[in-house]
Amino acid sequence: MNLIVKNKMIKYYCLLWVLGASIIFSEAAESGSSILLSPKTKAEQRADLVVRLPGQPKISFKHYAGYVTVDESHGKSLFYWFFEADKKPQNKPLLLWLNGGPGCSSIGYGEAEELGPFSPQKGSKPKLKLNRYSWNRAANLLFLESPVGVGFSYTNTSSDISELGDTIVAKDTYNFLVNWFKRFPQFKSHDFFLSGESYAGHYVPQLAKAILEGNKIASKEDHIQLKGLMIGNALLDDDTDQRGMVEYAWNHAIISDHVYNDVKNNCDFSNKNMTSTCNKALTQYFNEYRLIDIYNLYAPICVDNQTNSQNRNTQPPIIHGISPRLFSNFEGWLKRPAAGYDPCTSDYTETYMNIPAVQAALHANITKLPYPWTHCNNNITSWSDSPSSILPTLRKLIDEGLRIWIYSGDVDGRIPVTSTRYTLKKLGLKTIQGWKAWYASSQVGGWTIKYKGLTFVTIRGAGHQVPTSMPREAWQLVKHFLAGKNLPDAPPL
């Protein structure tokens, strides 16, 4: 073989190697990184890739769904739905969203009715509407149905459902993250943030604590790049949450002076023991919220489709053992939220998620669960541990230097802005930047105050589910939180 031919062959094989390598690297790059994925990992990601959902509009991003095992001995698997950022996912952080309950689906509420890309629509055929204010415009977005028994998540050990509590939920969710990152290693180097609402005031700080503790003993491969957390209308402290609810209801003319004084004089919110006089007073208090949506005082309630709404899990059984200790004894506390401008949206979501073709496209319900998908699991009736206050955990997270934002929709009666202000006052943090308005376009979006180690933000006109009622303001909020930037304190010129 002459030298010229030999050199041409060398160049040819080099070119083939470069082309092959570029294909492998480009597959990973499209999903957020230039790292080399193993054949096993690529196969797992392809298996979870959602090719097309019934009624799905045209999109520019990839999304994945499936199961991650968190406890092999018990047969525990949690269901997730992951959306890459709509543009340049390799440059965007990763955000996990958790809804509370406890026992409610982050996919049913968070993805479908709040901040995810897709929202099911009313109609005889499956149809999804694209959310122009989806948070995957700012981050790679991960939703998790947790704990087991919620949504499509399941366990092969029936006793697991009766042994749920804050500790086991944090442990299982941490195990999920460790194993999820093994399936999607290209996102391990991304800044990672936690977010959620309501009972996620328990879930998120306790998960953050579990991650920090896990990082101390984990291998380099299992280290999680946790940078911060953001929680909306968060259940944080029994005493202030309950006291603030009653004061908020009185200030907004929901309850009478008589009911307000009865509750104030007969209930000790720092004590978990219920007296008969307190029980009577709180019964009067919750009776008023039978007439309107406690989650958004000024939103309509669903009256168009009473049959479906009554069949849906809007009034589940009382869960014994959860916080807050007094209010959780009343059915009114467990009332499920309506959804924004169309209060029947949750009906559309349940219909859509129970379509066999939808479940097949999402790689969901692979074990053929003996019950339909619902927003919340009515079989969860006991909770083994639920601290009366999460403030000690928050203080530890502040000391760790994490970015922490707490936000509050100011027309929520469930965990109102009054409660959260009382709660944050209990922390005793030094004020760095005083109370002032922030702007969404030319209008005031709410107010904010910056403490040492924590930022508090209100969203004007928003209910319990802030992204549902004020989507543009919510998107602006998360965008600034992820960037670590202050919200604009003046309208644009």
Side-chain angles (χ1 to χ4, degrees):
M1 184 182 298
N2 63 48
L3 186 60
I4 295 175
V5 173
K6 187 175 181 179
N7 286 339
K8 285 183 177 180
M9 290 185 68
I10 291 172
K11 289 180 180 179
Y12 173 74
Y13 285 118
C14 285
L15 180 61
L16 285 178
W17 184 90
V18 169
L19 287 172
S22 65
I23 291 172
I24 293 172
F25 278 103
S26 65
E27 285 184 358
E30 288 176 3
S31 295
S33 175
S34 60
I35 71 167
L36 182 63
L37 301 179
S38 71
K40 178 177 180 291
T41 300
K42 287 194 288 184
E44 288 177 341
Q45 291 187 16
R46 287 192 187 113
D48 284 0
L49 180 67
V50 180
V51 178
R52 185 173 178 82
L53 283 167
Q56 177 183 306
K58 186 177 180 180
I59 56 174
S60 61
F61 53 86
K62 292 181 180 179
H63 57 120
Y64 302 80
Y67 288 92
V68 172
T69 299
V70 297
D71 187 334
E72 289 187 5
S73 64
H74 282 223
K76 281 186 182 181
S77 290
L78 297 182
F79 183 77
Y80 79 91
W81 196 353
F82 171 59
F83 299 87
E84 290 187 356
D86 67 339
K87 294 177 182 177
K88 298 182 179 180
Q90 67 273 18
N91 297 332
K92 301 282 177 66
L94 174 65
L95 180 72
L96 171 69
W97 174 268
L98 298 171
N99 278 90
C104 294
S105 169
S106 302
I107 286 172
Y109 286 118
E111 193 292 315
E113 298 166 19
E114 297 188 70
L115 56 114
F118 301 136
S119 179
Q121 301 296 292
K122 183 180 182 180
S124 57
K125 293 183 179 180
K127 183 181 179 182
L128 293 173
K129 181 181 178 181
L130 198 61
N131 177 10
R132 62 183 295 196
Y133 293 111
S134 172
W135 286 13
N136 81 321
R137 289 178 59 194
N140 298 287
L141 194 53
L142 178 60
F143 297 94
L144 177 65
E145 292 196 307
S146 172
V148 290
V150 172
F152 295 122
S153 295
Y154 67 90
T155 175
N156 294 329
T157 307
S158 58
S159 61
D160 285 339
I161 302 299
S162 60
E163 296 172 356
L164 293 172
D166 285 13
T167 301
I168 195 66
V169 171
K171 178 184 176 183
D172 285 351
T173 309
Y174 173 73
N175 288 338
F176 164 83
L177 288 172
V178 170
N179 291 327
W180 187 88
F181 277 115
K182 290 177 180 177
R183 189 172 302 177
F184 291 89
Q186 64 266 41
F187 291 97
K188 283 173 61 175
S189 62
H190 291 223
D191 287 349
F192 180 54
F193 295 90
L194 306 177
S195 59
E197 70 191 11
S198 197
Y199 200 82
H202 280 227
Y203 286 164
V204 167
Q206 292 176 123
L207 176 58
K209 181 183 175 184
I211 291 172
L212 293 178
E213 291 175 348
N215 281 346
K216 293 176 182 177
I217 59 175
S219 64
K220 183 179 179 181
E221 289 73 21
D222 290 340
H223 190 276
I224 297 174
Q225 302 289 337
L226 180 63
K227 300 298 181 182
L229 54 118
M230 181 173 72
I231 325 168
N233 293 83
L235 187 75
L236 295 170
D237 184 86
D238 280 12
D239 175 28
T240 50
D241 287 339
Q242 294 173 117
R243 179 157 48 95
M245 278 183 69
V246 176
E247 291 198 13
Y248 183 86
W250 180 72
N251 284 325
H252 285 75
I254 307 300
I255 59 174
S256 67
D257 292 356
H258 175 71
V259 171
Y260 174 66
N261 289 323
D262 272 359
V263 174
K264 191 173 180 180
N265 294 331
N266 293 299
C267 295
D268 179 2
F269 294 127
S270 61
N271 190 336
K272 65 180 180 181
N273 296 318
M274 176 82 72
T275 64
S276 60
T277 51
C278 177
N279 187 305
K280 183 179 178 180
L282 290 180
T283 298
Q284 291 179 300
Y285 163 82
F286 278 111
N287 278 343
E288 297 303 323
Y289 276 119
R290 290 179 182 272
L291 307 175
I292 61 173
D293 183 6
I294 190 174
Y295 293 90
N296 190 329
L297 302 191
Y298 308 116
I301 58 174
C302 184
V303 295
D304 295 337
N305 198 350
Q306 290 288 349
T307 302
N308 283 351
S309 295
Q310 288 168 3
N311 289 335
R312 186 162 49 81
N313 291 339
T314 56
Q315 198 59 64
I318 289 171
I319 302 176
H320 299 285
I322 63 166
S323 290
R325 290 297 190 273
L326 298 189
F327 279 25
S328 63
N329 289 298
F330 293 84
E331 289 183 351
W333 172 254
L334 293 172
K335 181 181 177 183
R336 303 306 184 198
Y341 302 111
D342 185 345
C344 303
T345 294
S346 290
D347 292 335
Y348 315 150
T349 301
E350 288 206 2
T351 298
Y352 186 83
M353 297 301 290
N354 281 295
I355 297 173
V358 171
Q359 296 180 1
L362 290 173
H363 321 113
N365 199 13
I366 57 175
T367 59
K368 302 303 177 186
L369 298 167
Y371 48 81
W373 182 96
T374 56
H375 282 77
C376 305
N377 186 340
N378 279 6
N379 293 319
I380 298 175
T381 57
S382 64
W383 205 254
S384 62
D385 64 295
S386 181
S388 61
S389 180
I390 298 296
L391 297 186
T393 301
L394 267 183
R395 288 189 181 97
K396 291 179 181 178
L397 299 177
I398 291 170
D399 292 341
E400 292 284 348
L402 293 177
R403 185 183 309 159
I404 300 175
W405 283 28
I406 307 294
Y407 67 89
S408 183
D410 64 9
V411 297
D412 173 32
R414 175 64 181 269
I415 307 174
V417 63
T418 308
S419 297
T420 304
R421 293 179 81 172
Y422 279 142
T423 299
L424 297 181
K425 186 177 180 180
K426 243 184 183 181
L427 277 173
L429 301 174
K430 181 181 178 182
T431 300
I432 303 299
Q433 189 176 75
W435 188 263
K436 63 177 181 179
W438 64 273
Y439 284 80
S441 187
S442 60
Q443 300 294 321
V444 171
W447 282 263
T448 182
I449 184 170
K450 191 172 184 178
Y451 300 104
K452 185 177 181 181
L454 186 148
T455 296
F456 176 53
V457 181
T458 73
I459 299 86
R460 187 165 68 101
H464 191 71
Q465 296 170 290
V466 169
T468 301
S469 50
M470 304 299 285
R472 183 178 65 177
E473 288 77 4
W475 182 78
Q476 185 170 339
L477 173 74
V478 73
K479 183 174 66 171
H480 282 77
F481 163 71
L482 293 171
K485 295 181 178 179
N486 293 334
L487 288 158
D489 58 4
L493 296 175

